[in-house]
Amino acid sequence: MNDMNPFDRPGGPHGAPPGGTPGGTPGGTPGSMPAAPPAIHTVTYDGRAGNLGRIAVSNGLLGLLTLGIYRFWGKTRLRSYLWSRVDFLGDRFEYSGTAKELLIGFLVALAILAPLVGASIAVGMVYENDLGAVAIKELVQLVVILFLIQLAIYRARRYRLTRTQWRGIRGGTARRCSATARRTPGSATAASSSTAGPRTSSGAGS
């Protein structure tokens, strides 16, 4: 049996790995400590299913009794609860939106859509027998609908962000409304996900 001299082992008598130092860390200086890993901050949610269930049931019943009018107040109540149960760095989020703002936003949407629907019906009746005019009308109608969908997505997300606060910082959107509305439906999900604060912008939303 061949006995190896301790001093013939790689790294000397202390058995330090190649590239390291005796008694130290591999590739480091004697007595050096590894760098501390960066701190990881997580967002926590501590809402309870029972509380959400009670809110959902009461919102549904009141919505039926008021023929759907209570939905704006119910949505505000639900968002306020969800926001208040989200914690980050020891502070909770706040939702400052109101049912009145949601109601105004709904009425504005109706005021925009009603004339467009009426105009589409009128054009279809006037040019009922003109296939070329009907095709152009359908094409224009499709473009307008896609534009309004993107516009509605932008305004809804901007409203939720501007009504979200954390440590006094109000959320916001960095992308302009026109840039978002021009995006295709498939790519609009990331159009208004950025935040910038503090902001003081306001407006009705959904």
Side-chain angles (χ1 to χ4, degrees):
M1 183 172 62
N2 185 16
D3 294 332
M4 180 180 291
N5 191 317
F7 290 93
D8 294 335
R9 291 182 298 177
H14 298 287
T21 58
T25 57
T29 58
S32 63
M33 297 297 292
I40 300 177
H41 304 293
T42 59
V43 178
T44 59
Y45 171 78
D46 58 1
R48 297 181 178 274
N51 294 335
L52 283 176
R54 285 190 290 270
I55 293 176
V57 171
S58 62
N59 286 350
L61 292 176
L62 291 173
L64 290 175
L65 293 175
T66 60
L67 301 179
I69 298 178
Y70 184 77
R71 65 183 298 267
F72 307 106
W73 284 261
K75 183 179 293 187
T76 300
R77 180 186 177 192
L78 178 61
R79 289 177 179 175
S80 297
Y81 174 78
L82 292 175
W83 267 240
S84 67
R85 307 318 302 173
V86 178
D87 180 274
F88 182 63
L89 295 179
D91 290 287
R92 296 185 179 274
F93 286 81
E94 300 178 15
Y95 179 74
S96 59
T98 64
K100 180 181 178 181
E101 292 174 339
L102 296 179
L103 178 59
I104 293 175
F106 176 75
L107 296 177
V108 169
L110 283 182
I112 295 175
L113 290 176
L116 295 178
V117 173
S120 177
I121 295 175
V123 171
M125 294 175 62
V126 172
Y127 298 97
E128 181 178 2
N129 298 323
D130 190 340
L131 296 180
V134 171
I136 294 175
K137 189 264 294 186
E138 295 293 336
L139 179 61
V140 172
Q141 180 175 302
L142 177 62
V143 173
V144 171
I145 290 176
L146 292 178
F147 178 85
L148 291 178
I149 288 175
Q150 302 312 308
L151 181 62
I153 292 174
Y154 171 85
R155 290 184 60 84
R157 291 182 177 176
R158 185 188 67 173
Y159 176 79
R160 288 193 294 269
L161 285 172
T162 56
R163 298 306 183 272
T164 299
Q165 300 185 46
W166 178 76
R167 291 185 175 180
I169 302 175
R170 185 187 297 272
T173 55
R175 185 178 295 276
R176 297 178 62 87
C177 175
S178 57
T180 302
R182 288 194 300 266
R183 297 175 68 91
T184 60
S187 61
T189 54
S192 56
S193 58
S194 60
T195 59
R199 289 174 176 259
T200 57
S201 61
S202 59
S206 59

